[in-house]
Amino acid sequence: MSTEIHRGDTLDLARSTLTDEIERAAVWLPEQAPLSTFVHHNTLHHLEHLPFEEAVVVGSKMLRTAAFLSEETFAGHLRSGRIQRRDVEAVLDARTEQPGRLLFAQGPTVREFRGFRLRHFFEVPSGASLRWTLFEAGAATRIAKPVDELRRREILACGPEAECLLALWSTFERCAPPIRDTRARSPRWRDRLRDETGVDTDEWVHPLLIRLSAAFLDQGVAYWRMPGREKGFLAAFRSLYGQGAGPARRWTRGLPALLSAQEGRGFSAEETIEWALAELGVAIESRADYLRDTLLSLRGWAGMMHQLEQRPDRAPVVAPPARLVDYLAVQLTLDLVAAKACALDTLGFDGPLRSLTSRSPVDRAKRDGALAYEAFLLAQLSELPFERFLEPSVAQAWLEAVADFDSTQRRCALHLAYERRHRVEVLDALAIHSRETSPHSALPAFQAVFCIDDREESTRRHLEELEPAVETFGYAGFFGVAMEYRGLDDIRSRPLCPVVINPVHAIAEVPISSPEHDEYTKRRRWHGGASHSTAIGSRTLVRGGLASSLLGPLATIPLVVTVLFPRLAHRIAHWLEHLGIERPLTRLAIEADPEQDIEAALRSGYTIDEMTGVVASALRTMGLDQRLSPLVLVVGHGSSSLNNPHEAAHDCGATGGGRGGPNARAFAAMANHVSVRAELARRGTILTDETWFLGSYHNTCDDTMTYYDEDLVPRTHAGVLERAKKALAQACVREAHERCRRFETASLAIGIDEALAEAEQHAVDLAQPRPEYGHATNAVCLVGRRHRTKGLFLDRRSFLVSYDPTTDPDGARLAPLLLAVGPVGAGINLEYYFSFVDPTGYGCGTKLPHNIVGLLGVMDGHASDLRTGLPWQMVEIHEPVRLLVVVEARKAVLEKILAEQAGLMQLVKNGWIQFICWDPDSPELFVFEKGKPVPYEPESKTLPRASTSLDYYRGHRKHLPPARIGAGPLR
């Protein structure tokens, strides 16, 4: 096999556009960060310039994934009533062009035909399966089973059954359009050679490329580091395989000489790519598609390489010098070597690949049998006179109508109907419920500010049921404190803020007493060193072998306890870990050193002016500056579970996949700061000594609460603090009980007292793939005053964002709020949508075969593409509907904001979110359709009612429609 390298004219001609072509190809790569900083995002973010219904179809064709749920699934929803007939009718009325046009004389209209088609679901076979169905199973000679008796008699009145059906089939088969086998051949040589030889060279290249990528990107899991990694991926690859030291495989026999030649000529990554494309005979006009298809063949690994190039700060430990162009150069080199070896071994061809032409597509000129079969069955089910379908002109028109409303069109219409039913339930409930609500009058005993997270909807609801004197608010869970945080036990700092923000403030947790801290640090280091040494030693030949033989039998004891008694094992492990190690009392170093360089990229702490801005902005946006209780709890959240690679996906998205406790603690410290309060007073916001802020943390997996800096709470507030903690503890118990109804392993009759233990067991069970369901029920985002939704059961499906439109007449505070909430909420919602609609194409499949690789992501088994998206166990109870964003504001204010904010308008106009205006002074609602508000007409005047949330959800596992809570017995 020839390995000679030439610098041809193609290189100079292509060089100017190569960077652009790689950038265009890279937009199709997943933007998933490493597991430790997992943040939800719109899987098809780069298609947001297209309408949603169009974009998902484009994405499905490019990525070979599903755009919508299957027709079979939608048929089940039609039977169950989840989709109602009026939903389908409304969607068809809005989407059908020329609805009154007749298909043929005295025939149905286009609109009538489409409604008829959606009422009948059946599988449409193709190829050999179609022939078998027609002539072996007898479909061509027997009336279809779904045909009712009246229609059956009408058909039989035309003659013998077999004769009538064969005549009908023959008519449609003759009239069906031909299929021209112009198979769109991929430009990749792997696909051409697979067609020619039956050999898939990706099966040669990918295992090697996966191991190379995993070793290069590894974050410290591997015992041996990849040699030469610091020089870059391409240089390390050439160093390893250019000397012939790589694994001996038949197809790689020419690789060492080829890599040596590349290095000898000083080829950069870009020159290597251009040379490889020229050797493969890729035409200039096909290069962009070729590069895209190449990267998408292992899109998970290519995407991670690109991510760590773009955002090295997201690396769990240290980012290697990753470059997508290096990765592409390596893959194209391997593809070229494999293609040449395949051509030589199977075709006996040893010349330049560019001179090897592929066979031309064959025009088989076959009729579209699948389309004919679909029309054939529909004709039997139709109410039109049977004999009319034997007329060629009628059959032709019928076939055209069937083709114009294909499976993609039908599934799109059914999806919109599916979303419509949910939208109607929610908007009707808001309109009805708001008529019976009124603002708070008396000052609450205490107030609690939670993250806007949909899981906190039920926490807030239960807290309000248990403690009517409380007032709750929702704010993004980083609470405006965008910081680089380092806890006392952290090895390194990490950003706790939205991923679109690069923090410029560093905050550390520091001990109050140095001697206590020194002893604590010493013990922790000893414990950590021993754990690390044990972990590393277990993977070596000598120490690992000795440990296995000597300690293996003893290890079975904790293993058995962990598997059979997970809660007990967790408590024992926690006790042993902290035995003799008492954590010192700490504070957050929030105040900046006035002497430090204010121009530094990362500064320690905040200035008084900066802290005042953080506190003032949050209080005013929520409307909390109007009145303050003696105690204000600031509740961050996160999730802690055992053996869960996607744990960060259950944490707080507003903190970049971190835990929001430190942010809540920092905000409370700022709000309590004497100088900050003085500056706030100067700006018109009075925080008296009677009000105290307390930071806390809610673990949404085991439903426990942690409170910070309690020793600083004034003695005068001890009573209200105890009252608040008791109410929150009870709310967490009820929250756990409500969550348990979703777990198939928990009985629907489980008692409230048992629920917290069940939630804890889910969190620490080594064999539990569903520690919690995360955002799996998210569907709504409500932006407005809490009193309008207080007492409304929203089934843990709504993000609750506090905003007071009465204090923001021009929408100055609403605009930045929507710019944050809209894209973030859409990102969470759409990732769940795509991972549910196609669990293996967009999601990462089931957790069961997953293995963590390099602290970066998961693979199936020992070697696969890096799986992106969400595992099925996180999304299995989800309903894939686009986020319904309801904003309490005047219509004119929202229209003004959308006109000024192009990014938000794009999400609204193109339908990536469903956007609703809720009038602050009335129940009136407006649905934005293509960016324009349309008045909403409620379909219902009644709302289910129950005394408590428990009374309403008891005995139900599935999603429940909204209901009014605290209004007497269920009805």
Side-chain angles (χ1 to χ4, degrees):
M1 182 175 63
S2 173
T3 59
E4 186 176 357
I5 292 181
H6 303 279
R7 289 179 182 267
D9 295 337
T10 308
L11 301 185
D12 296 328
L13 178 64
R15 185 175 292 113
S16 61
T17 61
L18 180 62
T19 301
D20 293 337
E21 290 167 345
I22 294 175
E23 288 178 356
R24 289 202 301 273
V27 301
W28 287 96
L29 295 175
E31 285 199 354
Q32 185 163 306
L35 290 173
S36 59
T37 52
F38 191 104
V39 178
H40 296 288
H41 64 286
N42 177 8
T43 309
L44 297 181
H45 62 95
H46 57 288
L47 295 179
E48 288 179 356
H49 62 283
L50 299 175
F52 173 79
E53 300 97 315
E54 180 183 342
V56 293
V57 175
V58 171
S60 71
K61 291 178 179 178
M62 187 65 65
L63 301 175
R64 299 176 184 177
T65 50
F68 307 103
L69 294 174
S70 67
E71 285 188 80
E72 183 179 11
T73 301
F74 283 128
H77 289 314
L78 283 164
R79 289 191 297 269
S80 70
R82 172 59 181 81
I83 301 176
Q84 297 181 9
R85 184 165 181 171
R86 57 181 164 177
D87 299 320
V88 176
E89 300 292 332
V91 169
L92 290 179
D93 287 341
R95 287 180 57 84
T96 305
E97 297 180 3
Q98 298 180 308
R101 179 176 61 84
L102 295 176
L103 301 187
F104 45 81
Q106 298 180 336
T109 64
V110 172
R111 169 65 181 77
E112 290 169 339
F113 170 80
R114 294 188 172 185
F116 157 73
R117 180 64 183 93
L118 290 181
R119 292 194 295 273
H120 297 91
F121 165 75
F122 49 84
E123 295 286 349
V124 180
S126 59
S129 177
L130 174 60
R131 307 306 299 178
W132 184 91
T133 300
L134 286 167
F135 302 111
E136 298 296 331
T141 56
R142 289 197 296 270
I143 297 173
K145 289 183 179 179
V147 174
D148 61 33
E149 187 58 33
L150 182 63
R151 179 65 170 177
R152 179 180 294 274
R153 288 199 297 268
E154 180 187 341
I155 294 173
L156 293 177
C158 298
E161 180 177 8
E163 184 178 320
C164 291
L165 269 295
L166 278 172
L168 182 66
W169 167 250
S170 297
T171 302
F172 281 121
E173 188 179 34
R174 286 194 304 270
C175 294
I179 299 177
R180 293 181 60 84
D181 186 19
T182 54
R183 291 173 291 174
R185 298 196 174 224
S186 167
R188 290 191 63 213
W189 267 102
R190 166 259 189 182
D191 300 304
R192 299 188 195 180
L193 287 170
R194 184 184 56 187
D195 290 344
E196 297 284 348
T197 67
V199 176
D200 187 349
T201 56
D202 275 356
E203 294 180 359
W204 299 355
V205 171
H206 283 182
L208 177 56
L209 188 57
I210 288 168
R211 287 195 295 275
L212 284 168
S213 301
F216 178 76
L217 298 177
D218 178 71
Q219 295 294 296
V221 175
Y223 184 64
W224 287 336
R225 291 186 59 184
M226 184 179 191
R229 176 167 92 149
E230 65 281 354
K231 299 176 183 178
F233 189 53
L234 179 59
F237 169 63
R238 285 174 176 168
S239 176
L240 278 173
Y241 289 87
Q243 307 302 319
R249 294 183 180 86
R250 181 178 176 83
W251 69 273
T252 61
R253 57 184 179 266
L255 184 59
L258 182 62
L259 294 179
S260 296
Q262 287 181 0
E263 193 162 13
R265 290 181 175 269
F267 267 22
S268 66
E270 291 81 0
E271 288 175 320
T272 302
I273 292 171
E274 292 168 350
W275 162 79
L277 292 173
E279 284 293 302
L280 288 164
V282 180
I284 293 293
E285 62 274 11
S286 301
R287 291 198 337 173
D289 291 342
Y290 195 99
L291 294 175
R292 183 197 62 226
D293 289 354
T294 299
L295 290 174
L296 290 181
S297 66
L298 276 179
R299 60 181 180 178
W301 284 111
M304 186 57 66
M305 195 75 69
H306 191 46
Q307 272 293 294
L308 292 180
E309 178 184 8
Q310 300 293 316
R311 292 294 303 268
D313 57 304
R314 291 188 178 185
V317 183
V318 177
R323 295 201 313 156
L324 186 63
V325 68
D326 282 353
Y327 174 89
L328 193 53
V330 172
Q331 182 169 6
L332 286 173
T333 298
L334 291 173
D335 280 349
L336 176 61
V337 171
K340 287 189 173 185
C342 180
L344 178 62
D345 291 347
T346 58
L347 303 177
F349 182 82
D350 194 23
L353 284 175
R354 56 180 175 267
S355 65
L356 181 64
T357 57
S358 184
R359 293 179 302 185
S360 300
V362 178
D363 185 358
R364 299 181 182 176
K366 286 187 176 180
R367 299 287 174 178
D368 192 341
L371 178 64
Y373 178 81
E374 186 178 349
F376 172 66
L377 279 188
L378 289 171
Q380 296 178 58
L381 293 165
S382 171
E383 296 179 355
L384 295 171
F386 181 78
E387 59 272 10
R388 291 215 62 190
F389 291 107
L390 301 178
E391 302 172 20
S393 60
V394 171
Q396 184 70 42
W398 190 255
L399 281 163
E400 290 174 0
V402 173
D404 287 342
F405 198 47
D406 62 11
S407 177
T408 300
Q409 294 278 353
R410 295 193 298 271
R411 287 184 293 136
C412 180
L414 289 168
H415 172 77
L416 295 176
Y418 180 76
E419 287 185 325
R420 182 183 185 275
R421 179 48 31 202
H422 171 258
R423 181 172 65 247
V424 166
E425 286 181 349
V426 172
L427 298 188
D428 283 3
L430 293 177
I432 296 168
H433 182 76
S434 63
R435 294 191 183 99
E436 303 182 40
T437 62
S438 59
H440 295 277
S441 53
L443 185 68
F446 65 95
Q447 293 161 317
V449 181
F450 292 84
C451 180
I452 66 175
D453 192 282
D454 48 312
R455 290 166 292 182
E456 299 290 32
E457 182 273 327
S458 55
T459 310
R460 293 173 63 177
R461 174 167 31 87
H462 288 298
L463 180 61
E464 290 163 349
E465 287 181 41
L466 289 161
E467 184 57 90
V470 71
E471 186 176 24
T472 68
F473 297 84
Y475 197 71
F478 76 112
F479 302 106
V481 185
M483 62 179 175
E484 186 83 16
Y485 176 75
R486 183 171 182 174
L488 186 65
D489 300 323
D490 295 339
I491 298 174
R492 62 185 61 82
S493 63
R494 66 159 294 166
L496 289 181
C497 56
V499 292
V500 295
I501 298 176
N502 289 317
V504 296
H505 303 280
I507 290 182
E509 182 185 18
V510 297
I512 293 177
S513 171
S514 294
E516 289 182 9
H517 174 242
D518 293 342
E519 181 63 23
Y520 176 77
T521 302
K522 180 180 177 181
R523 291 176 180 267
R524 291 290 295 179
R525 283 179 177 172
W526 179 89
H527 183 273
S531 300
H532 179 72
S533 179
T534 301
I536 293 297
S538 67
R539 286 179 277 167
T540 62
L541 180 61
V542 177
R543 282 187 288 168
L546 289 173
S548 298
S549 59
L550 296 176
L551 303 179
L554 295 177
T556 59
I557 298 173
L559 178 62
V560 170
V561 175
T562 300
V563 172
L564 298 181
F565 310 102
R567 290 181 65 221
L568 175 62
H570 174 70
R571 292 181 178 184
I572 293 174
H574 184 268
W575 177 76
L576 289 174
E577 183 180 356
H578 294 84
L579 184 63
I581 306 178
E582 185 176 352
R583 201 172 193 273
L585 197 63
T586 64
R587 296 284 185 260
L588 295 187
I590 61 170
E591 193 166 351
D593 181 354
E595 302 298 324
Q596 69 177 321
D597 181 9
I598 62 172
E599 299 298 327
L602 190 63
R603 306 194 303 273
S604 176
Y606 285 74
T607 64
I608 297 300
D609 186 62
E610 288 169 334
M611 287 192 281
T612 303
V614 168
V615 175
S617 177
L619 297 182
R620 289 173 182 169
T621 298
M622 292 185 286
L624 194 54
D625 61 331
Q626 300 301 302
R627 59 176 190 169
L628 287 163
S629 299
L631 179 68
V632 181
L633 294 175
V634 186
V635 188
H637 76 98
S639 177
S640 177
S641 53
L642 186 65
N643 193 27
N644 180 21
H646 291 84
E647 184 179 66
H650 290 156
D651 283 328
C652 181
T655 63
R659 294 171 184 171
N663 299 79
R665 186 182 185 185
F667 181 89
M670 292 178 182
N672 292 329
H673 198 290
V674 175
S675 299
V676 170
R677 292 191 170 200
E679 180 63 20
L680 281 171
R682 193 182 68 79
R683 299 183 186 185
T685 300
I686 307 296
L687 297 184
T688 67
D689 293 341
E690 296 177 358
T691 296
W692 190 261
F693 289 77
L694 182 66
S696 59
Y697 169 73
H698 177 207
N699 186 328
T700 60
C701 196
D702 64 10
D703 276 307
T704 56
M705 290 291 303
T706 303
Y707 297 90
Y708 304 108
D709 303 323
E710 285 188 75
D711 60 304
L712 296 178
V713 178
R715 292 183 179 180
T716 54
H717 291 64
V720 69
L721 174 59
E722 188 62 28
R723 178 180 178 181
K725 289 175 66 176
K726 182 179 178 181
L728 259 174
Q730 293 175 337
C732 285
V733 171
R734 293 196 179 190
E735 151 79 2
H737 187 266
E738 183 172 337
R739 285 200 298 124
C740 282
R741 76 182 179 92
R742 296 289 191 175
F743 297 132
E744 293 289 344
T745 54
S747 168
L748 281 173
I750 189 172
I752 288 182
D753 295 336
E754 305 168 277
L756 201 59
E758 180 73 21
E760 183 183 344
Q761 176 137 327
H762 268 260
V764 299
D765 190 348
L766 186 66
Q768 180 53 255
R770 302 170 181 85
E772 71 158 304
Y773 275 120
H775 301 288
T777 54
N778 83 87
V780 184
C781 178
L782 292 170
V783 182
R785 292 168 292 176
R786 176 58 175 164
H787 82 265
R788 300 196 79 183
T789 56
K790 184 177 180 180
L792 186 63
F793 181 90
L794 293 170
D795 204 16
R796 293 169 53 87
R797 306 194 69 183
S798 179
F799 301 100
L800 296 177
V801 185
S802 291
Y803 166 71
D804 190 348
T806 63
T807 63
D808 187 30
D810 59 353
R813 292 198 294 273
L814 179 59
L817 184 64
L818 291 180
L819 287 174
V821 169
V824 170
I828 295 172
N829 171 266
L830 290 166
E831 183 152 46
Y832 273 84
Y833 172 92
F834 288 113
S835 292
F836 185 92
V837 167
D838 193 333
T840 57
Y842 285 124
C844 60
T846 176
K847 282 183 175 182
L848 302 183
H850 286 176
N851 285 315
I852 298 177
V853 54
L855 299 180
L856 296 169
V858 296
M859 294 192 305
D860 288 334
H862 74 284
S864 79
D865 194 7
L866 205 62
R867 300 303 307 271
T868 56
L870 304 176
W872 177 246
Q873 287 81 1
M874 280 181 65
V875 303
E876 60 187 352
I877 66 169
H878 185 61
E879 280 193 346
V881 295
R882 286 169 292 170
L883 190 66
L884 184 66
V885 181
V886 182
V887 184
E888 186 189 7
R890 300 194 184 283
K891 183 175 59 171
V893 170
L894 285 181
E895 288 181 300
K896 175 176 175 287
I897 291 174
L898 291 178
E900 294 173 350
Q901 303 297 335
L904 186 61
M905 172 61 93
Q906 181 173 266
L907 287 176
V908 174
K909 188 174 182 179
N910 289 337
W912 291 90
I913 58 176
Q914 303 176 83
F915 199 66
I916 312 296
C917 170
W918 192 8
D919 187 76
D921 301 320
S922 72
E924 194 173 16
L925 295 148
F926 297 86
V927 179
F928 277 75
E929 297 180 0
K930 297 182 178 180
K932 300 296 182 182
V934 177
Y936 173 75
E937 296 293 334
E939 291 187 2
S940 175
K941 296 182 179 179
T942 61
L943 185 64
R945 296 172 179 245
S947 297
T948 65
S949 295
L950 174 60
D951 292 334
Y952 186 58
Y953 70 71
R954 189 195 303 271
H956 297 279
R957 288 214 193 274
K958 305 297 183 182
H959 299 292
L960 290 170
R964 183 170 174 79
I965 303 301
L970 178 64
R971 56 187 176 90

